[in-house]
Amino acid sequence: MPPPSVPLQKLGFLTIGSFDGASPRAGHESTLEVIELGERLGFDGAWLRHRHLQYGISSPVAVMAAATQRTSRIELGTAVIPLGWENPLRLAEDLATVDILSGGRINPGVSVGPPMRFADVSEALYPHTADVEDFTYERVKRLVGLIRGEPASSFQGTVGIEEFSDHVQPHAAGLADRIWYGAASPGSARWAGEQGLSLLTSSVLKAAGPDDTTDFATLQHAQIQTFRAEHPDGENARVAQGLVVIPTDTATPEQRAKYAAYVEARTPRTARPQGPANMLFAPDILGTSEQVAETLYAHAGFRDVNEVVFALPFGFDHADYVQILTDMATSLGPALGWSPRK
């Protein structure tokens, strides 16, 4: 989206779905209510984070299944499912089932690599195969192939009264073309492009090294260009940007103070790459919709995309999310040229 005259085509939001471990239903219900609100406000998509052994959504596919029965239009995505925790065949069945229930609205976002804190969970997750599990891109290829309809079994036929298919059932036509890859490095962005997947680029990227540029927007722009250079669709390849964006148009003074404290506490980590993996965090964007739009139009990564999945902050109250989403849909989106879907 180089000039402001080019309208934003798709506006989505991302939530972690936080909950109280002592009373988890309330948090999950809040997440579903937020998705319902998103549909009423005209958002194009509602996306779910994925957290294992934490107090956030551990089963986004199950939450999406519930959301399909409470919505009729809004697209539902995952950002992202870490495939190191998953069996690709079983996940393919679950995603296809939910896509059928949704009427073709599911956008699975995935990533690869060993599970987080693998040494702590390997005995529970893979008690007999932890040392031979393949956590590479091959896991994505297996998932995509199975969803496309590649054979999952060497047998097809009838045994007694039971009929068996040799590929995943149900088959969800078109689902494989809606698979996204969450890339943090130039190499993973390049690979996603080569595979013809769509790209999710978030508020965290991998810098090449401690001496590399620390300008997040420059790095994100380069990542997107690398992806599109390898993708069969070139400049038309789908990319969604996911920054933390907090519009304050209708926020109360108390909310504005809370949001400002949240951003201030997180800002120091954006100054330089963090940890041995040199992960660079984008600054959160806080302000009125006019101020946020101005910041976005100056962002090199944002100017490369025509769809966004703005991330909701962690740990806020339900009322805060209602205010933020309402301002996004009624003020920020229109400031970016977007029109709500009906």
Side-chain angles (χ1 to χ4, degrees), residues 117-133:
R117 303 194 64 84
F118 187 46
D120 298 319
V121 301
S122 60
E123 183 63 25
L125 188 59
Y126 298 114
H128 307 297
T129 62
D131 57 340
V132 296
E133 287 291 332

Side-chain angles (χ1 to χ4, degrees), residues 32-274:
L32 291 171
E33 290 175 1
V34 161
I35 294 172
E36 291 180 278
L37 173 64
E39 176 159 283
R40 291 196 301 272
L41 290 170
F43 277 87
D44 297 282
W47 295 68
L48 305 175
R49 289 187 184 271
H50 200 145
R51 289 292 185 269
H52 286 296
L53 303 181
Q54 298 181 50
Y55 302 102
I57 296 169
S58 62
S59 183
V61 180
V63 175
M64 286 194 300
T68 66
Q69 305 306 293
R70 297 168 68 151
T71 59
S72 61
R73 177 200 55 76
I74 194 168
E75 295 182 355
L76 303 166
T78 61
V80 288
I81 297 174
L83 293 186
W85 292 79
E86 306 289 342
N87 179 296
L89 173 54
R90 280 290 301 115
L91 181 59
E93 291 178 326
D94 287 346
L95 289 170
T97 299
V98 177
D99 195 52
I100 295 295
L101 289 171
S102 75
R105 292 186 279 139
I106 301 304
N107 286 262
V110 300
S111 66
V112 297
M116 186 180 295
R117 303 194 64 84
F118 187 46
D120 298 319
V121 301
S122 60
E123 183 63 25
L125 188 59
Y126 298 114
H128 307 297
T129 62
D131 57 340
V132 296
E133 287 291 332
D134 183 357
F135 298 126
T136 69
Y137 294 134
E138 290 301 315
R139 222 172 179 92
V140 182
K141 291 182 178 180
R142 285 171 57 198
L143 177 68
V144 174
L146 290 164
I147 289 175
R148 286 198 188 282
E150 293 179 4
S153 171
S154 59
F155 176 75
Q156 178 181 11
T158 302
V159 177
I161 62 172
E162 296 190 69
E163 184 177 358
F164 291 87
S165 171
D166 64 354
H167 59 273
V168 166
Q169 295 296 339
H171 175 67
L175 177 59
D177 298 325
R178 284 179 266 118
I179 295 177
W180 300 69
Y181 189 78
S185 69
S188 58
R190 182 179 299 108
W191 179 85
E194 292 169 348
Q195 303 305 308
L197 303 174
S198 297
L199 177 68
L200 287 168
T201 178
S202 72
S203 58
V204 185
L205 293 176
K206 186 174 183 179
D211 298 326
D212 192 26
T213 178
T214 57
D215 183 73
F216 184 93
T218 299
L219 285 173
Q220 192 167 65
H221 167 72
Q223 181 199 51
I224 294 170
Q225 294 303 305
T226 296
F227 165 75
R228 286 184 167 147
E230 301 298 332
H231 199 285
D233 294 338
E235 289 301 308
N236 294 320
R238 292 184 71 185
V239 179
Q241 184 198 45
L243 301 177
V244 177
V245 171
I246 312 174
T248 59
D249 302 78
T250 64
T252 66
E254 293 76 17
Q255 287 174 319
R256 291 193 186 98
K258 177 199 293 189
Y259 303 166
Y262 177 87
V263 171
E264 182 179 6
R266 285 161 51 93
T267 297
R269 67 178 186 167
T270 68
R272 63 185 60 84
Q274 303 291 310

